[in-house]
Amino acid sequence: MNNLKSVLRSTTVMFLFVGLLGIWMGGCQTQEQKEIKRLIGELQDQDEDSSVRSNAAIALGNIGEGAKDAVPALIQALQDQNSEIRYHAAMALGEIGSGAADAVSALIQALQDQDVRVIAAYALGRIGEGAKDAVPALIPLLQDQDIGVRVRAAWALGRIGTPEALKTVEEYQSRQ
Protein backbone atom coordinates (compact mmCIF):
# COMPACT_ATOMS: atom_id res chain seq x y z
CA MET A 1 0.00 0.00 0.00
CA ASN A 2 2.85 2.40 0.85
CA ASN A 3 4.47 1.67 -2.52
CA LEU A 4 1.22 2.54 -4.32
CA LYS A 5 0.94 5.84 -2.40
CA SER A 6 4.58 6.63 -3.20
CA VAL A 7 4.05 5.94 -6.91
CA LEU A 8 0.87 8.04 -6.95
CA ARG A 9 2.60 10.87 -5.09
CA SER A 10 5.58 10.81 -7.51
CA THR A 11 3.28 10.70 -10.53
CA THR A 12 1.23 13.61 -9.21
CA VAL A 13 4.35 15.69 -8.57
CA MET A 14 5.63 14.88 -12.07
CA PHE A 15 2.32 15.88 -13.71
CA LEU A 16 2.21 19.11 -11.69
CA PHE A 17 5.78 19.93 -12.70
CA VAL A 18 5.12 19.21 -16.39
CA GLY A 19 1.87 21.16 -16.24
CA LEU A 20 3.48 24.19 -14.61
CA LEU A 21 6.36 24.07 -17.09
CA GLY A 22 3.84 23.95 -19.95
CA ILE A 23 1.91 26.90 -18.54
CA TRP A 24 5.12 28.89 -18.10
CA MET A 25 6.34 28.10 -21.64
CA GLY A 26 2.90 28.78 -23.08
CA GLY A 27 2.93 32.16 -21.37
CA CYS A 28 6.27 33.01 -22.99
CA GLN A 29 5.02 32.08 -26.42
CA THR A 30 1.72 33.84 -25.86
CA GLN A 31 3.45 37.18 -25.33
CA GLU A 32 5.15 37.04 -28.75
CA GLN A 33 1.95 35.77 -30.34
CA LYS A 34 0.01 38.64 -28.74
CA GLU A 35 2.53 41.10 -30.15
CA ILE A 36 2.26 39.55 -33.62
CA LYS A 37 -1.55 39.68 -33.47
CA ARG A 38 -1.41 43.33 -32.39
CA LEU A 39 0.94 44.17 -35.26
CA ILE A 40 -1.24 42.30 -37.75
CA GLY A 41 -4.20 44.33 -36.51
CA GLU A 42 -2.30 47.59 -37.00
CA LEU A 43 -1.19 46.51 -40.47
CA GLN A 44 -4.74 45.67 -41.53
CA ASP A 45 -6.44 48.70 -39.96
CA GLN A 46 -7.20 50.95 -42.92
CA ASP A 47 -8.12 53.77 -40.51
CA GLU A 48 -4.61 53.80 -39.05
CA ASP A 49 -2.09 56.35 -40.18
CA SER A 50 0.03 54.90 -43.00
CA SER A 51 3.19 55.29 -40.92
CA VAL A 52 1.68 53.12 -38.17
CA ARG A 53 0.80 50.45 -40.74
CA SER A 54 4.23 50.69 -42.33
CA ASN A 55 5.93 50.42 -38.94
CA ALA A 56 3.80 47.35 -38.15
CA ALA A 57 5.18 45.68 -41.30
CA ILE A 58 8.72 46.67 -40.30
CA ALA A 59 8.22 45.24 -36.80
CA LEU A 60 6.87 41.98 -38.23
CA GLY A 61 9.95 41.79 -40.42
CA ASN A 62 12.15 42.36 -37.38
CA ILE A 63 10.51 39.39 -35.69
CA GLY A 64 11.49 37.35 -38.74
CA GLU A 65 10.67 33.66 -38.94
CA GLY A 66 8.55 33.85 -35.80
CA ALA A 67 6.06 36.10 -37.59
CA LYS A 68 4.95 33.36 -39.96
CA ASP A 69 1.34 33.87 -38.84
CA ALA A 70 1.47 37.35 -40.34
CA VAL A 71 2.08 36.10 -43.90
CA PRO A 72 -1.58 36.40 -45.03
CA ALA A 73 -1.79 39.99 -43.73
CA LEU A 74 1.52 40.87 -45.38
CA ILE A 75 0.31 39.39 -48.68
CA GLN A 76 -2.75 41.61 -48.40
CA ALA A 77 -0.51 44.60 -47.64
CA LEU A 78 1.31 44.02 -50.95
CA GLN A 79 -1.88 45.35 -52.59
CA ASP A 80 -2.02 48.53 -50.49
CA GLN A 81 -2.36 51.90 -52.21
CA ASN A 82 0.63 53.21 -50.26
CA SER A 83 3.95 52.18 -51.84
CA GLU A 84 5.79 52.44 -48.52
CA ILE A 85 3.47 49.86 -46.97
CA ARG A 86 3.88 47.58 -50.00
CA TYR A 87 7.66 47.95 -49.77
CA HIS A 88 7.82 47.12 -46.06
CA ALA A 89 5.38 44.21 -46.47
CA ALA A 90 7.65 42.69 -49.13
CA MET A 91 10.68 43.27 -46.91
CA ALA A 92 8.93 41.59 -43.97
CA LEU A 93 8.07 38.58 -46.13
CA GLY A 94 11.73 38.33 -47.05
CA GLU A 95 12.75 38.46 -43.40
CA ILE A 96 10.30 35.67 -42.59
CA GLY A 97 12.13 33.68 -45.26
CA SER A 98 11.10 30.14 -46.09
CA GLY A 99 8.09 30.51 -43.79
CA ALA A 100 6.65 32.96 -46.29
CA ALA A 101 6.45 30.46 -49.15
CA ASP A 102 2.69 31.07 -49.37
CA ALA A 103 3.50 34.60 -50.56
CA VAL A 104 5.40 33.54 -53.68
CA SER A 105 2.58 34.23 -56.16
CA ALA A 106 1.89 37.64 -54.60
CA LEU A 107 5.60 38.47 -54.71
CA ILE A 108 5.75 37.41 -58.37
CA GLN A 109 3.00 39.96 -59.05
CA ALA A 110 4.93 42.53 -57.01
CA LEU A 111 7.86 42.14 -59.43
CA GLN A 112 5.75 44.27 -61.80
CA ASP A 113 5.42 47.07 -59.22
CA GLN A 114 8.10 49.70 -59.91
CA ASP A 115 8.13 50.73 -56.25
CA VAL A 116 8.76 47.29 -54.76
CA ARG A 117 10.19 45.03 -57.45
CA VAL A 118 13.74 45.09 -56.08
CA ILE A 119 12.57 44.16 -52.60
CA ALA A 120 10.12 41.57 -54.01
CA ALA A 121 13.08 39.89 -55.75
CA TYR A 122 14.96 40.04 -52.43
CA ALA A 123 12.01 38.39 -50.65
CA LEU A 124 11.82 35.63 -53.25
CA GLY A 125 15.53 34.97 -52.81
CA ARG A 126 15.13 34.82 -49.04
CA ILE A 127 12.31 32.29 -49.42
CA GLY A 128 14.80 30.22 -51.40
CA GLU A 129 13.85 26.86 -52.86
CA GLY A 130 10.20 27.43 -51.94
CA ALA A 131 10.12 30.23 -54.54
CA LYS A 132 10.99 28.03 -57.52
CA ASP A 133 7.76 29.12 -59.26
CA ALA A 134 9.24 32.63 -59.45
CA VAL A 135 12.16 31.62 -61.68
CA PRO A 136 10.36 32.40 -64.99
CA ALA A 137 9.35 35.83 -63.66
CA LEU A 138 12.85 36.64 -62.37
CA ILE A 139 14.78 35.70 -65.51
CA PRO A 140 13.54 38.66 -67.62
CA LEU A 141 14.60 41.02 -64.82
CA LEU A 142 18.20 40.19 -65.70
CA GLN A 143 17.65 42.44 -68.75
CA ASP A 144 16.19 45.34 -66.75
CA GLN A 145 17.62 48.83 -67.21
CA ASP A 146 18.00 49.23 -63.44
CA ILE A 147 21.23 47.59 -62.25
CA GLY A 148 19.75 47.14 -58.76
CA VAL A 149 16.92 45.07 -60.21
CA ARG A 150 19.35 42.99 -62.28
CA VAL A 151 21.66 42.32 -59.34
CA ARG A 152 18.82 41.43 -56.96
CA ALA A 153 17.18 39.15 -59.56
CA ALA A 154 20.48 37.32 -60.12
CA TRP A 155 20.94 36.97 -56.36
CA ALA A 156 17.40 35.63 -55.95
CA LEU A 157 17.85 33.13 -58.77
CA GLY A 158 21.05 31.90 -57.16
CA ARG A 159 19.32 31.49 -53.80
CA ILE A 160 16.37 29.64 -55.33
CA GLY A 161 18.92 27.32 -56.86
CA THR A 162 16.97 25.34 -59.45
CA PRO A 163 19.10 24.07 -62.36
CA GLU A 164 17.39 26.55 -64.71
CA ALA A 165 17.98 29.44 -62.30
CA LEU A 166 21.63 28.57 -61.76
CA LYS A 167 22.28 28.16 -65.48
CA THR A 168 20.67 31.53 -66.19
CA VAL A 169 22.74 33.26 -63.50
CA GLU A 170 25.90 31.66 -64.84
CA GLU A 171 25.11 32.94 -68.34
CA TYR A 172 24.25 36.37 -66.95
CA GLN A 173 27.53 36.59 -65.05
CA SER A 174 29.56 35.53 -68.09
CA ARG A 175 28.09 38.49 -70.03
CA GLN A 176 29.07 41.00 -67.34
Side-chain angles (χ1 to χ4, degrees):
M1 187 73 167
N2 280 340
N3 283 340
L4 181 59
K5 284 184 180 181
S6 177
V7 168
L8 286 173
R9 202 172 286 133
S10 296
T11 304
T12 303
V13 168
M14 182 182 70
F15 279 119
L16 283 172
F17 175 74
V18 169
L20 289 172
L21 181 64
I23 290 169
W24 177 76
M25 289 183 73
C28 292
Q29 293 173 350
T30 302
Q31 187 60 32
E32 183 176 80
Q33 291 302 321
K34 284 180 185 178
E35 180 67 11
I36 291 169
K37 285 181 183 180
R38 182 185 68 76
L39 292 167
I40 291 170
E42 287 179 2
L43 180 64
Q44 292 177 322
D45 188 353
Q46 295 297 319
D47 293 332
E48 279 288 357
D49 182 286
S50 64
S51 65
V52 170
R53 295 174 56 230
S54 185
N55 286 331
I58 292 168
L60 289 165
N62 288 338
I63 293 170
E65 293 176 9
K68 197 164 83 168
D69 292 343
V71 169
L74 291 164
I75 291 170
Q76 183 180 1
L78 286 174
Q79 303 301 314
D80 200 275
Q81 295 294 322
N82 186 306
S83 63
E84 187 176 329
I85 293 170
R86 293 192 311 271
Y87 180 91
H88 290 298
M91 176 65 88
L93 289 165
E95 296 306 314
I96 293 170
S98 61
D102 291 344
V104 169
S105 62
L107 289 165
I108 291 170
Q109 290 177 346
L111 292 173
Q112 304 303 312
D113 182 338
Q114 295 296 315
D115 295 320
V116 299
R117 62 194 179 135
V118 171
I119 208 66
Y122 163 80
L124 290 164
R126 290 278 305 194
I127 292 170
E129 293 176 6
K132 65 180 181 248
D133 292 344
V135 169
L138 287 165
I139 290 173
L141 294 180
L142 296 174
Q143 306 298 321
D144 198 275
Q145 292 181 358
D146 183 337
I147 190 169
V149 172
R150 292 193 310 267
V151 168
R152 190 54 75 188
W155 177 84
L157 288 164
R159 294 267 311 194
I160 293 168
T162 65
E164 177 188 14
L166 294 175
K167 180 181 177 207
T168 304
V169 170
E170 196 175 294
E171 291 169 359
Y172 169 75
Q173 289 175 335
S174 71
R175 292 189 307 255
Q176 299 306 310

